[in-house]
Structures are given as C-alpha cells and as structure tokens.
Amino acid sequence: MSTDSAAGPAVWLVPAQWLPPTAEKTADALAAGRISAEEAEQMGYEQLPVSDGPSAPEMAVRAARRALARAGLPAEDVGALWHAWTYYQGHDFWSPAHYVAARTGALDAVPTGVQQMCNGAGAALRGALHQLTAQPGGGPVLITTADRFAPPGFDRWHGDYGVWYGDGATAAVAGTGAAPAGALTLCALVTRAAPELESAHRDTDAFHPAPHTRSAAVDVRRTKKAFLAAQGGRQAFLGRLRRETTAVLADALAGAGLDGAGRGGAGRGGAGRLSTVLLPRLGRATARDVYGPAVAEVTDAPVADLGERTGHLGAGDLLSNLAALADDSGPHRLPPGGCAAVLSAGAGFTWSAAVVRRA
C-alpha cells in the first residue's frame, strides 16, 4: 500500500474531459444482437461514446487544452506530462506521451507514459503528486488519459464480462501554490495492489510474439474465465475486490483527516462532510455487488456511477469523475467546502482512492 496524502504543499487539480460527439446506443446494440437483454439490465447504461475519427492521443490533446484553458495556464508552463492509457494508441512502436506534449504545446515538459490499465489515471496522478512534493517550484504537471476501443481489435460491447468501453479523453492540471478558481484540493491519494491477481488478463498457457497472435480481437472473457476457474470461482474473486476497495477507501478517508466512518467529521483543512463516493464506471451490477457493499463498510455517503452516457473510459474514469465534481454547470458539482472520494481500479490488480475538497 502507498499513502500519498497532502503532507507537503497542498496540491490543487483542474480536471477536464473531451468525449466524441457520436455514440452507439444500447438499444441499437441490443437490437443487433451484440448484447443480451440480461447484459443491458446488468449494465444500466444508455450509450457509449465512439470516436469516428480522432485517435486516442488526438483526443488527449483536446482534453489537455481544455484543462489548461480552465486553469488559465499556458502550455509552456507545464513542467511534466503523464499520459495514461489502456488500449492501442494508434501506432505500434512509439511514445504517445511525447506526442501529447508536443501537440499540446508543452515543449518544455518531460513526458512519461503510464500503462497501468484502468487505474492509469490513479497511477499518473500518484506520479504527479510525488513530483510536485519533491519539486514544489518545478511548475505544474499535466495528466492525460485517452482510449479508443475501435474494431477490429476490440469489441466494446462484448469483449469483456460486465464492462462496456467508451471512447474519450481526460486531463487534469496539477500544481501547488495559489489555486485557480474552481480547482479541487487533493486531500489524500491512496493506492493498493495485488500483483498475484495479474493472470486475470493473461493467457496462462504461453506468451505471444506479437499483438493479436492469440485472437483477432482482444478477448478478456477468455482470460477471465480461466482465471476464475483457477481462483475458486466468481464469488471468491468478488469478495477480494470488495475487501481491497474497502481498505483503500478507509485509508484515504483517514489520510484526508475524515473520521473512520466518513459521516461528517471535520477533515484536514476544514474538508467537512463527505458528500459522495464516485465509482469506476463498470455498471449497475458491479456497483451493487462490489462497490456498494465495500463503500458501506466505511461510510454512509451516497455512491454514484456516472457511466450512463460514457461507459467505462479505460484509464480515464477517475479524472472524468473529478471533472464532474468540478463542473459548475453539472448535476454532480461538489459544493464549496464539500469533500468527495473517487475510486479507481485496474487490471493487475491495483486500486486507488482520491479524496478531494472544493474550495
């Protein structure tokens, strides 16, 4: 476990996202036989955003520019860029992080790529926090994520169990010192990992010499099915996921100075009552069976899955949820003085929990 709370200089965040304007509707996928009625009911999502043009890194540039504009900062001021992703970035042998930095105009930034699957935003935020703590005067850090789950290599509706994948990009500017208007203050960030679970997304019979050697499209169902058979079944695995989620959230609330139950105790710096816990965008059944019970162990704050019109954004769920908290015109805006927790999880497995406060 790693606890990365604001023990040093206070770190602020200005998040943003960019989603493609086109989408595939659940009703259409159901009519075409791409999903079953049972799957539609378990997910409870209306649509998935689908990019019919921009690649993942191109979407990341758009999100990055939006975050910088909201922070009121020129790209030239950025000291470092951390770019995270889950799936193919458009070229086989290449650094998408450097592309995002160059096209954003952050030419003095040191780019770093982060490939920690769906916890990518949490890992990138952790790296940015460490950098800002070690070098408070080193300039703001830009964090981006982007994924495009396009055919023929990926079936966004049927390639995985209990996850529907949407295209899109997220970004956040992180810094210390005077915070821009509307910024969120990072009160705590905690990360836990269980590397012994890595085979959930790996063919255990052999390693492959090139992408798509084993199958023409990514088939997470195949690897998960074999993994669950070896691990004692689905219920045992879900129990482990619940326990790890409970632990990472409890540690994050403690790091933020909230009481153990998160029921309105005063947080560090006046963080106040925990308004909500935002979940990874994995659908109605996962929220009910994993995240709801896990969160209820440590807080009675309401939980919310904001994936109804986005689906799971790969590495981007955490930053997209932060963007919703910072959106003054949105229904999930965090009120002044309010405090929220955002959960993240990714294959490997890794879990992160961030606690933020609105000034």
Side-chain angles (χ1 to χ4, degrees), residues 13 15 21 32 52 99 147 165 186 190 206 220 234 247 253 269 276 289 293 297 335 352 354:
L13 300 169
D52 58 6
Y99 173 92
D147 277 297
Y165 293 82
L186 183 64
V190 174
V220 187
R234 181 174 180 271
L253 294 180
T276 187
D289 297 339
E297 290 290 327
S352 290

Side-chain angles (χ1 to χ4, degrees), residues 42-45 162 280-288 305:
Q42 289 179 340
M43 290 302 299
Y45 286 173
R281 300 176 182 192
L282 301 175
R284 178 185 295 154
T286 301
R288 178 194 65 221
D305 177 341

Side-chain angles (χ1 to χ4, degrees), residues 61-185:
V61 171
R62 299 181 188 195
R65 290 172 177 167
R66 185 167 291 178
L68 287 166
R70 291 181 177 175
L73 292 172
E76 292 83 0
D77 288 355
V78 174
L81 182 142
W82 296 71
H83 176 64
W85 67 92
T86 297
Y87 184 56
Y88 189 60
Q89 295 289 286
H91 293 280
D92 294 333
F93 198 65
W94 178 63
S95 173
H98 286 73
Y99 173 92
V100 175
R103 292 304 177 96
T104 302
L107 300 183
D108 291 329
V110 177
T112 301
V114 178
Q115 218 289 330
Q116 203 190 74
M117 300 301 285
C118 300
N119 191 56
L125 180 58
R126 183 169 179 260
L129 177 59
H130 286 183
Q131 182 166 343
L132 289 166
T133 301
Q135 299 176 318
V141 176
L142 181 59
I143 303 161
T144 61
T145 79
D147 277 297
R148 183 187 182 202
F149 300 99
F154 207 103
D155 183 340
R156 69 180 70 252
W157 296 97
H158 197 69
D160 199 349
Y161 286 122
V163 189
W164 290 352
Y165 293 82
D167 299 343
T170 69
V173 182
T176 57
L184 302 171
T185 298

Side-chain angles (χ1 to χ4, degrees), residues 226-272:
F227 171 81
L228 292 175
Q231 292 289 321
R234 181 174 180 271
Q235 291 306 315
F237 181 56
L238 293 183
R240 178 67 183 274
L241 299 183
R242 284 192 291 267
R243 292 191 298 273
E244 295 291 349
T245 300
T246 294
V248 77
L249 177 59
D251 289 339
L253 294 180
L258 292 169
D259 65 4
R263 296 183 174 94
R268 180 182 296 120

